[in-house]
Amino acid sequence: MRESGEREVMYVGYRPVPRQMRRALMVVVPGVVMVLGLIGVVMGVSQRSPGRGVWDERVVTMSGVMVREPVPALIVRDEGGAERVVLLVEEGKHGAQERAARMAGVSVRVEGTSLRRDGEAMLEIRAVTEIDGDAGRGTEVVWREEARTWRGELVDAKCFLGAMKPGDGKTHKACATLCVSNGIPAMLVTSEGAMTVVSGMDDEAMEMIGEPVEVRGVEGRWGERRVMRIERVRRVGVLK
């Protein structure tokens, strides 16, 4: 019940906003806008980085020896004679095993688009031409003798190197699983960097792509590239 003489304040659309309401709105509306802006900034800052992968869609040309094992790659020699391993994949979610099987040990010129991240390199093939050159098997993997254990995440190399952002984590699990199923190499990403998985991606390991895992295996060096053979994988956390 209102006291005698007190007027009820009511807003009517076709009349001026009452003074009492106008004063309140001058405080409430800017306050709400500022709070929403602050929430947006906090949410943006709290998002994890999508990664430093780069997919340069300009067509480039590389020449070298194509190899099939341990995974399809082009062995390229720089001006100083050092060999560099560039992973090869086909367009879309497909590995290059079939093409590499036909042209293993052959000197070729490959046209394609490059993906790179933290020193790792990959070429998505557009065209391959056989050229004159020294054929061979390419550089061999040098394996360590002892096995060790890492904690990290299994991803597909193509998306992780730049084809997708993010190329890891829960949101990318289904995509990564399909890519690896179709022949794109997997990678184990740890705090020490990324290693290309060249064997051991069995059904159990496939189920754990995109999840926090503990992996036991053997590390090797393929040129400048770190590679690994998986012996055992187990979950160590939940998807985030």
Side-chain angles (χ1 to χ4, degrees), residues 62 74-78 82-86 119 121 139 222-224:
M62 295 184 184
L74 186 69
I75 309 300
V76 180
R77 289 186 180 273
D78 62 22
E83 290 185 335
R84 185 163 60 99
V85 178
V86 180
T139 186
W222 189 19
E224 83 296 347

Side-chain angles (χ1 to χ4, degrees), residues 36-190:
L36 291 177
L38 180 61
I39 291 173
V41 170
V42 172
M43 291 179 64
V45 172
S46 64
Q47 296 296 310
R48 68 187 181 93
S49 170
R52 296 180 294 274
V54 176
W55 190 359
D56 189 344
E57 296 192 7
R58 294 173 298 180
V59 176
V60 299
T61 301
M62 295 184 184
S63 298
V65 176
M66 186 176 290
V67 296
R68 179 185 182 185
E69 301 293 343
V71 293
L74 186 69
I75 309 300
V76 180
R77 289 186 180 273
D78 62 22
E79 294 180 355
E83 290 185 335
R84 185 163 60 99
V85 178
V86 180
L87 299 179
L88 294 176
V89 293
E90 300 287 354
E91 295 182 90
K93 299 179 182 298
H94 299 284
Q97 284 82 358
E98 183 178 343
R99 192 191 299 264
R102 297 197 309 266
M103 307 188 76
V106 176
S107 291
V108 296
R109 179 170 56 249
V110 181
E111 296 179 6
T113 54
S114 64
L115 301 99
R116 54 189 182 276
R117 178 172 180 168
D118 300 333
E120 301 280 347
M122 174 180 283
L123 199 62
E124 183 189 77
I125 299 170
R126 295 286 180 87
V128 178
T129 306
E130 185 173 345
I131 60 175
D132 293 332
D134 296 329
R137 294 186 300 172
T139 186
E140 299 289 336
V141 179
V142 179
W143 294 102
R144 295 180 181 271
E145 293 184 1
E146 72 283 358
R148 58 167 292 193
T149 301
W150 297 267
R151 286 197 173 194
E153 179 184 337
L154 291 167
V155 301
D156 75 281
K158 184 174 183 179
C159 291
F160 181 74
L161 294 183
M164 296 285 286
K165 289 191 176 184
D168 57 354
K170 177 181 179 180
T171 58
H172 192 252
K173 179 179 175 67
C175 178
T177 302
L178 181 59
C179 286
V180 177
S181 297
N182 288 340
I184 292 174
M187 280 184 164
L188 176 65
V189 181
T190 74

